[in-house]
Amino acid sequence: MDGGRALTIEQQRKILERGVEEILPAGELEPLLRIAQSENRPLRVKLGIDPTASDIHLGFAVVLRKLRQFQDLGHTACLVIGDFTASIGDPSGRSKTRPVLSRAEIERNVHSYEQQLYRILDPDRTEISYNGDWLAEMRFADVIQLASQYTAARMLERDDFAKRIEDQQPVYIHETLYPLCQGQDSVQIRADIELGGSDQKFNNLVGRDLQRNAGQRPQLVMLMPLLVGTDGVEKMSKSLDNYIGIDEPPEEQFGKAMSIPDEQIAAYLELATDAPPEEIEAARGAQNPMAAKTALAKRVAALYHGREAAERAAEHFASTVRRREAPDEMPELNAAPLIEDNGKNKGVWIVKLIAAAGFAESNSAARRLIQQGAVSIDGERITDANAHVSPADGAVLKAGKRRFARLVMK
RNA sequence: GGGAGGAUACUCAAGUGGUCAACGAGGGCAGACUGUAAAUCUGCUGGCGAAGCCUUCGGGGGUUCGAAUCCUCCUCCUCCCA
């Protein structure tokens, strides 16, 4: 509890409530902090992790960063890896039944997850458990006992299920067990608080009921707003490919951040960065979204790669995108083996060159790029798909705005 | 157990014998423009060294000069009644 000693309970509460969408029951955070203090023990703050994706993105980082705040105040992060529940699939926000993951996929994801988690969390105050350790051990009688604690009506009235039923989409029995499993996790690890995205409200509240039935104090539920993806519409997620990964290179993060719609700038500043409230407020009605967005993109890159890398990413963006210059560093492509000389054709066939560079998946796709005027060598546009070229060694091949390769001709 | 409906490209979704490599929308890509990889507009979006050819509409078999479209069997999916 060393971190917490310097601050009053009131101050701690303020920090912890910042950026939070909802606390259930409202107003219970401060009393809980007092209990922890008087009992002189860290709170156990639970976060369920669904290992269905292998990349942690800014959306999930919102919750992780909140968890980190708890850690900095001396509390314990209790991560529950849903290795067992991943084989069910969280129905939250889903309009369809989820595909089931294989054991191997889950293990691969978990492994990659753990490395990324500690870019945000403090490993010394983190406890990791796998819910398969207890859920897989349950006997059928235990499952019945668990299921007997909730009614079908309450389960089916939740939004996701109700909508599906109305749309004549299937709802499977095992999906209704998902919230119960997650609630059982809370019982198992004796969570004081459960963090989650706002779409986790129902699941987290089930945990309260189960804990109460088990004679525990029901966990406080803390819900964070969902970060919208770079498309500006859907929730950020890997499957929609609208995410910014915390492990991505700074240039990628910067560029992706620049591609969010202007209206999302303030939300991103608030949820995904440490920007002070004044800056967030200023960004809300900004006259110059470009400047605000650039500042945001820098903050994001700096958070995961440091200030210097963020500055470089900004410069990279300005030169490649705004001034359309070739970047300093780009992959090399040895084009020498592609050179032909058979009387009919002399040089490298441009279509093959594009395909070899990996800029197109097929020759047909390469032809399209060429015909659309996307391809150039050393700034000279090539629009004839039958063209053969003899570029100088070190010439720059470009396809579209962002794909570059330096040609090696010997 | 009984009845009804469905499976089309990345997704949704038209098409019910030739004019179908398959309408449309979303997504993606590209170009123009710009303040950005935003917005907007336009184009492209199965493969092949490509005026032509090849493969595709859940799977197999069949009818036909010709099938995504008709028949048949199979697989899978959904809904309604009980």
Side-chain angles (χ1 to χ4, degrees), chain A residues 36 45 68 213 236 276 378 385 391 395:
Chain A
V45 187
R68 175 63 197 240
N213 293 347
M236 183 176 282
D378 274 342

Side-chain angles (χ1 to χ4, degrees), chain A residues 40-194:
Chain A
N40 194 28
R41 67 174 180 95
L43 291 171
R44 298 177 60 73
V45 187
K46 176 195 169 199
L47 177 64
I49 296 184
D50 186 11
T52 46
S54 53
D55 285 332
I56 290 179
H57 55 64
L58 255 42
F60 190 54
V62 172
V63 185
L64 288 176
R65 281 153 46 78
K66 178 55 69 182
L67 197 51
R68 175 63 197 240
Q69 289 181 336
F70 274 99
Q71 291 184 318
D72 289 342
L73 292 173
H75 302 293
T76 306
C78 301
L79 302 180
V80 179
I81 310 278
D83 62 331
F84 185 82
T85 32
S87 61
I88 300 178
D90 182 3
S92 293
R94 288 277 160 166
S95 52
K96 290 180 181 172
T97 305
R98 271 203 183 186
V100 172
L101 286 184
S102 76
R103 190 83 208 171
E105 283 173 308
I106 290 172
E107 277 170 17
R108 211 173 317 123
N109 289 342
V110 166
H111 182 72
S112 128
Y113 245 113
E114 286 188 17
Q115 299 178 324
Q116 295 176 57
L117 282 170
Y118 295 127
R119 300 188 62 143
I120 296 177
L121 296 180
D122 173 358
D124 293 336
R125 295 187 204 277
T126 301
E127 225 178 79
I128 295 186
S129 47
Y130 292 78
N131 67 7
D133 287 351
W134 51 86
L135 294 178
E137 297 306 310
M138 289 175 80
R139 299 186 321 153
F140 198 62
D142 302 323
V143 178
I144 300 278
Q145 200 281 329
L146 178 63
S148 72
Q149 299 181 63
Y150 227 75
T151 68
R154 283 182 71 193
M155 190 60 74
L156 293 180
E157 78 185 359
R158 67 175 289 187
D159 254 29
D160 325 280
F161 289 150
K163 206 165 286 163
R164 269 155 68 173
I165 289 167
E166 194 179 327
D167 292 346
Q168 306 208 314
Q169 292 294 314
V171 174
Y172 290 88
I173 300 292
H174 75 279
E175 294 182 90
T176 67
L177 293 176
Y178 189 95
L180 295 172
C181 290
Q182 204 173 312
Q184 183 61 33
D185 293 346
S186 291
V187 172
Q188 200 65 225
I189 68 158
R190 310 185 76 87
D192 293 302
I193 298 180
E194 177 157 14

Side-chain angles (χ1 to χ4, degrees), chain A residues 200-351:
Chain A
Q200 291 298 309
K201 186 170 176 171
F202 182 90
N203 292 346
N204 294 1
L205 288 173
V206 170
R208 285 178 57 84
D209 291 326
L210 299 189
Q211 284 178 308
R212 192 180 293 117
N213 293 347
Q216 297 179 18
R217 185 200 356 257
Q219 63 188 6
L220 183 75
V221 172
M222 231 171 158
L223 303 171
M224 302 301 294
L226 296 178
L227 187 69
V228 171
T230 52
D231 58 6
V233 183
E234 304 279 354
K235 165 189 167 187
M236 183 176 282
S237 78
K238 170 130 182 169
S239 53
L240 291 171
D241 196 25
N242 62 358
Y243 71 100
I244 302 176
I246 66 170
D247 236 8
E248 291 187 88
E251 291 80 13
E252 269 316 287
Q253 294 181 331
F254 190 97
K256 285 186 176 182
M258 290 303 284
S259 79
I260 67 169
D262 292 349
E263 313 82 67
Q264 292 295 334
I265 296 173
Y268 267 67
L269 278 174
E270 181 165 28
L271 295 174
T273 74
D274 294 320
E278 313 85 70
E279 186 177 333
I280 298 169
E281 216 25 69
R284 225 171 276 281
Q287 297 299 310
N288 187 350
M290 180 60 191
K293 209 185 274 185
T294 305
L296 161 68
K298 264 191 214 174
R299 278 190 176 280
V300 169
L303 208 49
Y304 300 103
H305 298 283
R307 281 229 79 76
E308 222 174 287
E311 288 299 333
R312 276 202 306 275
E315 180 44 42
H316 175 267
F317 184 85
S319 70
T320 59
V321 177
R322 210 177 314 174
R323 299 196 296 271
R324 302 200 178 176
E325 297 164 354
D328 295 338
E329 286 180 34
M330 63 182 92
E332 288 196 342
L333 171 66
N334 185 1
L338 298 174
I339 297 173
E340 302 169 56
D341 187 3
N342 53 19
K344 190 167 165 230
N345 300 320
K346 227 172 154 52
V348 179
W349 184 30
I350 188 66
V351 167

